Amino acid sequence: MDWLQVVVLALIQGLTEFLPISSSAHLILVPVLTTWEDQGLAFDVALHLGSLSAVVIYFRHEIWHMVTSSLAALRGKGVNEDARLAMWVVIATFPVCIVGFLLHDVIAGYMRSTLIIAATLIGFGLLLGYADWKNKGTRSEYQMSLKDVLIIGGAQVLALIPGTSRSGITITAALLVGMSRESAARFSFLLSIPVIVLAGGLEAVGLIKQPHAFDLTAMLAGTLLSGLSAYLCIHYFLVFIKKLGMQPFVVYRVLFGAWLLWFFHF
């Protein structure tokens, strides 16, 4: 791998993992616009590790309180809001794990066309725009009900369709159930932790089954750059949506989806 490939792939992973614009939609452009060879599973695992590190570091205080409160609850000391939030993250993750496991081959084999990606970019982008326009919610991630969690977790299943965007669809669902923009984004980011762990774990298993030589320097650089870009993305995204909301991302998704349709199908 050359250094330009390392930088481009790391930035795509770090930024699109958390912005509501779909990483899969951007990754399909890499082989189209370049002559690069496939980066391999080892580098993919490194990039996921960078994104995971970023979100864990950014939310380290919240995660610490969630873990310690959950352990206290297991010891019979009662369930506080942090333990409840940890439980909500677990519950909301179950649907995408189950459906992803059952339909992995179908999704990988039949749903990665540019037509589907363009349609989901536009369709779910417009839905995000509607949810943001309609939203007047003020509830935080600590004020969710089980019904809210099940709706958001069910919506996350749709992220298995390329072009949907995991962060985009979970933020959309959270806005529709009455959460504030910032709270919707924070809960979406917390939900990314088990999803990235599972996705990276599956890739790591594949790597173990098919061991081959890898470029350690490129992997370390990719991990660092992916993590740094993801951390900055999380921070500035939360600042950005307080002032401008989700509409700029909606416009970007619609224009990008229209461009994909024009480029690949007309």
Side-chain angles (χ1 to χ4, degrees):
M1 294 178 64
D2 61 40
W3 282 106
L4 179 60
Q5 184 177 5
V6 171
V7 171
V8 169
L9 292 175
L11 289 177
I12 289 176
Q13 169 65 26
L15 295 175
T16 62
E17 183 70 43
F18 300 108
L19 293 180
I21 56 176
S22 176
S23 59
S24 60
H26 290 76
L27 288 171
I28 67 164
L29 294 179
V30 174
V32 172
L33 301 177
T34 71
T35 58
W36 294 333
E37 296 182 357
D38 183 84
Q39 64 271 18
L41 276 176
F43 192 69
D44 284 343
V45 171
L47 295 185
H48 276 96
L49 179 60
S51 297
L52 176 64
S53 300
V55 70
V56 169
I57 292 172
Y58 192 90
F59 290 101
R60 61 192 181 279
H61 299 301
E62 290 86 347
I63 293 171
W64 173 255
H65 291 310
M66 289 162 64
V67 170
T68 54
S69 296
S70 297
L71 292 175
L74 291 174
R75 294 196 297 268
K77 295 185 177 180
V79 178
N80 64 11
E81 63 178 9
D82 292 305
R84 188 176 299 107
L85 180 58
M87 181 174 62
W88 290 160
V89 170
V90 172
I91 292 174
T93 303
F94 272 122
V96 72
C97 292
I98 296 170
V99 176
F101 176 77
L102 294 177
L103 299 181
H104 176 269
D105 293 337
V106 174
I107 295 167
Y110 301 103
M111 302 188 71
R112 298 192 66 82
S113 74
T114 52
L115 183 60
I116 289 178
I117 290 175
T120 51
L121 271 172
I122 296 171
F124 288 118
L126 292 174
L127 183 60
L128 172 62
Y130 170 76
D132 187 55
W133 170 74
K134 183 178 180 294
N135 177 261
K136 294 180 174 58
T138 58
R139 290 191 296 136
S140 76
E141 62 270 34
Y142 294 99
Q143 297 171 309
M144 292 186 295
S145 66
L146 176 59
K147 179 182 177 181
D148 299 331
V149 173
L150 293 176
I151 290 173
I152 296 170
Q156 187 169 221
V157 172
L158 295 172
L160 294 170
I161 306 173
T164 301
S165 170
R166 191 209 59 80
S167 62
I169 197 63
T170 51
I171 290 173
T172 298
L175 291 174
L176 289 173
V177 299
M179 294 175 66
S180 69
R181 289 168 176 165
E182 302 93 310
S183 297
R186 285 196 299 268
F187 187 62
S188 174
F189 294 152
L190 289 174
L191 282 181
S192 73
I193 296 173
V195 171
I196 295 175
V197 168
L198 291 170
L202 286 175
E203 290 183 339
V205 170
L207 182 62
I208 293 172
K209 291 181 178 179
Q210 300 176 354
H212 54 80
F214 52 83
D215 187 338
L216 181 60
T217 302
M219 288 177 60
L220 290 174
T223 301
L224 180 61
L225 185 54
S226 172
L228 179 60
S229 59
Y231 186 94
L232 293 174
C233 174
I234 293 170
H235 175 74
Y236 286 108
F237 178 72
L238 291 172
V239 173
F240 182 88
I241 60 175
K242 290 180 182 179
K243 299 178 179 179
L244 297 177
M246 303 292 174
Q247 301 307 322
F249 301 104
V250 175
V251 173
Y252 177 83
R253 286 181 65 116
V254 171
L255 292 177
F256 188 22
W259 182 84
L260 288 177
L261 287 174
W262 171 81
F263 187 86
F264 288 101
H265 299 282
F266 293 101

